[in-house]
Every structure is written in structure tokens, then in C-alpha cells.
Amino acid sequence: MIGVEIITKRDCYWRIVASLDSRQFLEKTMSRGFGATKPKRRTKKIPASQASKVRQCDVEAGSRFSPEEDWKVNCEKQALAWYAGVYNPLAEIEPERIREIEADEEEWLFLARMIGWLEVDDELDALYFTAPPPSFDEIQADWYLRPVLTTFLEEPTPLKDVMADHPIPHQLVDQVIAHHTKRLKWKPERVATFIQDVSGKTETDLLNEDYAAILLELQHL
């Protein structure tokens, strides 16, 4: 269509970055933003957050505006920043008002990273706690996936919705397991025994939680 520009999530992100000088960008990425609402890991202590291609940042107009007023006054900029996943008025919400991620969510995130859907070293870095625009109502807040850190999202999306719409393809996880077992030079019989020992199930009966446990074990071998 003539006159219509197609803008991807990465285009949005780099337009936001380009609109800030280097000092502003460093101040915004290191001081506030998504890092304030990173979830706690259920199964083990969270390591120090590792640097990733997209660090945390908030794009704000000023404290004199409520989030909804800010959206109206700076609609174009804030909409661009929202769709890039770098605008979050709820970045400094108190931790006790944020729900913990559930076991099935953590398993989905781990497997999504292992099959290449999440472009991060720590799957929890792909999450932030926010609410939909323009009101950014805390009552509606939940864990969202940052689109720029995924290979398939074009806008921030609630984690629960992503999990419902994108179940983990177990055949892709099987390929990851095969990569590890090939490295270990295991024969099929050894692989089957290992899976049975870890999960208590056969290869055809595995669920996300079983796959996560198997891959965690393989990573330590």
C-alpha cells in the first residue's frame, strides 16, 4: 500500500534509542525501568542480571502527568515506546504488590529460551510487570514478555496469553535434548534410561515440567 510504512519492533526500539543522546540512554537504562520488576526465580536464587542486547529503560514525559495523561500528551512517542517494549509507567511498583510467577510459567520460559524463542541468557530477563495502555491500571497489571527479546512477538503481550497461544513444540525440545546427548555420545538406550530416571516417564509421555527437568540435568553433564 502506497504511503504506509511497516515498522518492526526492533525499528521501534532503535528509534527510541536514537532519540536519546548517549548519556540520557545510559542514565535511563541503568537507573529505572524493567529491572525494577524482574520476577523472582522459584527454583533457585537469581544470579546477577546479565547484560543483554536490550537493557532496561523507561521513556517518560515527566512526573507532572499521570500515565494516561502522559499517553495523551505524548501519544506518538509513548505508543512507539510501548510497542517496542521500552515504556513502563509501573516500573517502580512495590515488589510486594507483584505476583510471583508460577511453576508452569517458569517452565515455559525456560523451554522457550532453550528452543530459541527468547533471545536472552536468562529467561526472566524477557519479562516485565506492566499493564495495558493508556491507563496502565495497576489492577490489570501482570507479567508481560518484551517483544524485542523474542523471535515472534511484535508488541508487549501478557505471558499467560503467550503461553496459551504458543504452546512449546515438544519436537523442538527433543532436538535440543538430542544435541546434548550427541555431545555426550549416548546411544538411544542410554538416552531412554536417562529420561526414565529423571522423569519417571517414557519419552512419549513427557510434559513441559519433565522436559525442563531433563534439560536442567543435561546441562550439568
Side-chain angles (χ1 to χ4, degrees):
M1 183 180 298
I2 298 175
V4 175
E5 181 182 10
I6 299 175
I7 302 175
T8 68
K9 60 190 176 184
R10 287 172 175 77
D11 292 333
C12 289
Y13 174 75
W14 290 114
R15 287 189 182 193
I16 296 300
V17 173
S19 70
L20 305 170
D21 65 34
S22 58
R23 182 173 180 177
Q24 285 179 313
F25 181 61
L26 287 173
E27 288 175 351
K28 289 180 180 293
T29 54
M30 298 305 292
S31 61
R32 296 184 55 212
F34 300 149
T37 54
K38 180 176 177 179
K40 293 182 179 180
R41 191 178 299 276
R42 295 170 59 91
T43 54
K44 58 183 179 181
K45 184 178 179 180
I46 302 175
S49 181
Q50 301 178 12
S52 61
K53 70 177 72 175
V54 180
R55 294 307 304 161
Q56 296 91 352
C57 66
D58 250 353
V59 179
E60 301 179 71
S63 58
R64 68 183 183 278
F65 296 122
S66 70
E68 190 164 5
E69 290 171 333
D70 189 9
W71 186 273
K72 292 177 181 178
V73 172
N74 301 278
C75 181
E76 183 176 355
K77 183 185 74 171
Q78 304 300 45
L80 186 67
W82 163 258
Y83 283 108
V86 296
Y87 178 61
N88 182 21
L90 301 183
E92 293 187 345
I93 188 172
E94 293 83 353
E96 59 270 16
R97 290 155 69 183
I98 299 173
R99 75 168 181 86
E100 292 187 1
I101 61 171
E102 299 169 5
D104 62 327
E105 294 173 324
E106 190 169 357
E107 290 155 4
W108 186 95
L109 288 163
F110 173 71
L111 294 176
R113 177 174 65 83
M114 295 302 294
I115 65 175
W117 283 4
L118 303 182
E119 299 179 323
V120 287
D121 294 326
D122 181 342
E123 57 271 15
L124 298 187
D125 282 338
L127 287 181
Y128 68 114
F129 198 79
T130 190
S135 64
F136 296 97
D137 186 349
E138 187 180 322
I139 295 176
Q140 301 180 53
D142 204 347
W143 291 111
Y144 277 62
L145 274 174
R146 303 187 213 172
V148 78
L149 295 180
T150 76
T151 59
F152 59 98
L153 293 178
E154 292 297 333
E155 63 183 80
T157 307
L159 174 60
K160 287 187 177 296
D161 291 348
V162 177
M163 291 173 59
D165 294 339
H166 301 274
I168 297 295
H170 287 171
Q171 66 270 25
L172 295 183
V173 187
D174 288 334
Q175 293 175 16
V176 177
I177 292 174
H179 173 77
H180 282 284
T181 57
K182 182 178 180 181
R183 169 180 58 84
L184 295 168
K185 299 180 180 180
W186 285 0
K187 294 181 178 181
E189 296 79 8
R190 177 69 181 90
V191 175
T193 299
F194 175 79
I195 290 174
Q196 179 71 39
D197 290 343
V198 173
S199 67
K201 300 176 182 178
T202 64
E203 296 177 67
T204 58
D205 297 325
L206 300 177
L207 304 175
N208 278 1
E209 60 187 74
D210 305 310
Y211 277 109
I214 291 166
L215 284 174
L216 284 170
E217 289 292 330
L218 285 172
Q219 286 182 332
H220 292 94
L221 297 177

